[in-house]
Amino acid sequence: MTYFFEQLPQVVNLRGKLPHDGWYNVYSENYKTDIAIHHSLTETGDSRAFAMYHVHTLEWPEVAYHFVILREGTIEYNHQLGVLSYHVGNSNKQAVGICLVGDFRTQEPTEAQQNSLRELHAALVKDLPAYKRTRGHNKFPGYSRKQCPCFDYEAVLSGKLTGQAQDKGYLMKGDVGDAVKQLQRDLNKVGDQLKVDGSFGPLVEKAVKNFQKVNNLMVDGYYGPATQKALQEAVERIESKPKEETQMEKHIFVANDKVDALNAYKAVVRSGGAIKFRSNAEKEEVFAEENIYVVGGGADGIKVGHGKVVDLSGDTAEETSAKLDKHFKLI
């Protein structure tokens, strides 16, 4: 199947080419109702750099975003649309993630990025059969605290170029409001015991300075871009990494690798269910309402929580594919 977005000349396919430690589960793109817009919180970077951080620091299987848009407008294509990647917590199953490289608290998306976002978004709206809406990261449940994506993506999508970045971009002693409350909450997560009252007083200033000192930042008591970035990363490390939703699928297809997953995809669409990779199924129990189809590598070592195991593995990927076709009458 060819998607509309794949016809964009600035798209570069990086699927399977980035650092990883296991693979995300794969569902049908029919589950995707939302498009999530992110910024990277870094002035530079690309999918490979983000994958290194997500895999080796956050211990996620792969890079979080389905797409990354570089400063010069290149669109890096990292996951097929049905992949459940970690970028909006409990909404991961429903959302395709697009990340623009930049720290838009102090920068602006380039004109090339804005054009690429607009073109990619228009194509995805056509490619996603169940599409309903597009939201910024901070509009998803549980993420109102996030300063993401920090630019007027709605204006970009409507064809208007964004204006200046946030006027101030930092907090200081004397400031009040919801942003200060979030700062207090985040400081408490890394060990402080501040009252969350929305007032940037002496105790908040002291806590900011202590955090800056511990993290080798300029100790000035201002909650500016460098301190914001360091605190956000500290909170991310402390918070539990996102887990996929616990609702059981009708069928689970346990694939040995990407080839087996691709061979099983038509069966997943036809019968309902999801693909889970063996590397995940050997670490945690697999739950299905009805059947757990093993499509490569045999059933040994798979942890079964619920469901009847049906082993359709062949000695080769071709034999497994043939068994799938016969069992599900795909040919």
Side-chain angles (χ1 to χ4, degrees), residues 14-16 18 47 63 65-68 76-80:
L14 297 182
R15 290 181 302 159
L18 298 173
S47 295
V63 66
Y65 312 114
H66 292 77
F67 301 93
V68 170
E76 296 183 329
Y77 171 29
N78 301 325
H79 302 302
Q80 68 186 75

Side-chain angles (χ1 to χ4, degrees), residues 154-322:
E154 292 178 330
V156 173
L157 297 179
S158 68
K160 303 174 184 177
L161 298 182
T162 58
Q164 296 298 314
Q166 293 182 4
D167 292 337
K168 188 175 177 184
Y170 63 90
L171 297 173
M172 60 180 290
K173 186 177 178 180
D175 286 339
V176 295
D178 290 341
V180 177
K181 286 184 179 180
Q182 188 57 56
L183 169 60
Q184 292 166 327
R185 293 189 191 101
D186 286 344
L187 286 170
N188 288 343
K189 289 176 183 177
V190 298
D192 288 292
Q193 295 181 333
L194 299 168
K195 181 180 179 181
V196 181
D197 59 4
S199 177
F200 197 129
L203 293 178
V204 176
E205 183 181 45
K206 181 180 179 181
V208 170
K209 286 182 176 180
N210 287 338
F211 180 82
Q212 290 171 329
K213 183 177 180 180
V214 169
N215 288 274
N216 297 316
L217 300 166
M218 180 182 293
V219 181
D220 58 9
Y222 285 76
Y223 187 51
T227 307
Q228 291 168 12
K229 178 181 177 182
L231 183 57
Q232 293 270 337
E233 291 177 350
V235 169
E236 290 284 357
R237 288 193 294 270
I238 291 169
E239 291 181 336
S240 298
K241 62 184 180 181
K243 296 291 185 181
E244 64 178 282
E245 295 179 333
T246 57
Q247 179 181 357
M248 280 195 292
E249 296 290 333
K250 182 177 181 181
H251 303 296
I252 293 292
F253 294 74
V254 178
N256 197 45
D257 53 30
K258 288 274 189 178
V259 175
D260 291 328
L262 185 61
N263 288 337
Y265 188 67
K266 284 194 291 185
V268 173
V269 173
R270 174 169 295 186
S271 64
I275 296 172
K276 194 176 187 75
F277 284 97
R278 173 175 293 276
S279 56
N280 297 330
E282 290 178 344
K283 295 176 184 177
E284 56 186 26
E285 291 184 327
V286 182
F287 294 86
E289 290 182 0
E290 296 185 12
N291 297 311
I292 299 172
Y293 294 106
V294 182
V295 289
D300 291 345
I302 294 172
K303 295 183 178 181
V304 178
H306 187 275
K308 177 184 176 182
V309 177
V310 179
D311 191 353
L312 299 178
S313 302
D315 292 335
T316 64
E318 290 76 13
E319 288 183 14
T320 299
S321 179

